[in-house]
Amino acid sequence: MTDGRRRVLVKLSGEALVAPDGYWLYPKTLAALADDLARTAAAGVELAIVIGGGNIIRGARMSQAGWIDRPTADSMGMLATVMNSLALETALNAAGVTARTMSAVSMPTICETYARQPALHHLQRGQIVLIAGGTGNPFFTTDTAAVLRAAELRCHAVLKATQVDGVYSADPKQDATATRYDRLTHDEAIARDLKVMDTAAFALARENRLTVIVGSIHAPSSVAAILAGEARSTIVAP
């Protein structure tokens, strides 16, 4: 970018918003996350956000139960991402940051419909853009939506803020011998079938030579610390 600012798309897990009692949304987590993102924006990073809906519903899992078809279940999941985005938008505004939700699924009485040029305009004005509704199509995960929007919006990187501090050879919560990687190529991530993002997302990132950073959303880590190189992460790059 001509002004030297970095533009990053942050992919957040919906599950991170779940309250200790199991309720789908925890205000303290939202407030802490909003403060973290506000610090990141204040440091000169233009931010787009894609947040999943897994704290409310997972379309693929619901369709596997057999009582609802996948397109319908995925549509329900898209609506869940809008709910999460609106909640985070409110928390960001309370933290003093101007935020705007844009949905790939048109619902103009609730939020703005996603389109590339208006989204770029909001980012250039220093607003945080929350991109909801996935790709607007069934069968695509929010990981794939995040990489797609990052490519469209000319982001320098995708930061996936997840439950662990990087990419591992296996789930470190289930396998104590899992190896953590500091750096990988897109080809290595795909060939090793690493589950931190789905294969379609990694393939799209590879095609667009887009760097993916994977780090923990949980303290003492944060989005600001990961992007500043002060918290552990894995870099997946060409």
Side-chain angles (χ1 to χ4, degrees):
M1 296 172 59
T2 56
D3 63 0
R5 288 167 63 91
R6 289 183 297 163
R7 181 177 297 160
V8 176
L9 188 143
V10 179
K11 168 59 171 62
L12 298 171
S13 165
E15 286 90 338
L17 304 182
V18 176
D21 64 1
Y23 187 67
W24 69 276
L25 200 60
Y26 192 41
K28 288 185 177 179
T29 298
L30 272 177
L33 182 56
D35 286 342
D36 178 18
L37 294 170
R39 290 195 306 273
T40 305
V45 181
E46 294 180 352
L47 288 174
I49 311 290
V50 169
I51 185 166
N55 55 322
I56 303 172
I57 186 174
R58 281 190 171 276
R61 186 176 300 169
M62 175 172 280
S63 68
Q64 288 171 0
W67 63 276
I68 191 168
D69 61 35
R70 177 67 182 270
T72 301
D74 281 354
S75 294
M76 295 168 69
M78 292 176 210
L79 298 178
T81 70
V82 176
M83 294 169 66
N84 283 338
S85 295
L86 292 171
L88 184 54
E89 177 192 308
T90 301
L92 284 164
N93 290 334
V97 180
T98 302
R100 186 180 294 258
T101 296
M102 306 182 78
S103 173
V105 180
S106 182
M107 46 185 74
T109 61
I110 296 175
C111 61
E112 188 174 348
T113 301
Y114 173 80
R116 178 174 176 268
Q117 290 298 339
L120 286 168
H121 177 68
H122 298 324
L123 290 169
Q124 289 162 358
R125 293 180 61 192
Q127 298 178 332
I128 293 179
V129 179
L130 296 108
I131 305 173
T135 66
N137 301 286
F139 302 103
F140 291 95
T141 67
T142 49
D143 281 349
T144 301
V147 176
L148 172 63
R149 300 309 181 205
E152 286 183 334
L153 298 175
R154 303 193 302 270
C155 292
H156 296 92
V158 173
L159 167 57
K160 179 162 184 179
T162 185
Q163 306 298 316
V164 291
D165 60 354
V167 180
Y168 287 77
S169 59
D171 186 344
K173 296 180 180 179
Q174 299 181 9
D175 185 351
T177 65
T179 300
R180 182 184 172 281
Y181 304 104
D182 287 323
R183 193 173 186 93
L184 292 162
T185 66
H186 297 119
D187 287 335
E188 289 171 335
I190 294 169
R192 297 175 189 179
D193 196 24
L194 300 173
K195 300 298 185 181
V196 69
M197 292 183 84
D198 62 79
T199 301
F202 273 132
L204 187 58
R206 177 182 61 184
E207 181 179 341
N208 290 277
R209 302 188 63 78
L210 187 62
T211 297
V212 177
I213 306 167
V214 181
S216 173
I217 196 172
H218 302 294
S221 183
S222 68
V223 170
I226 293 169
L227 292 179
E230 298 168 355
R232 293 215 305 178
S233 66
T234 298
I235 295 175
V236 184

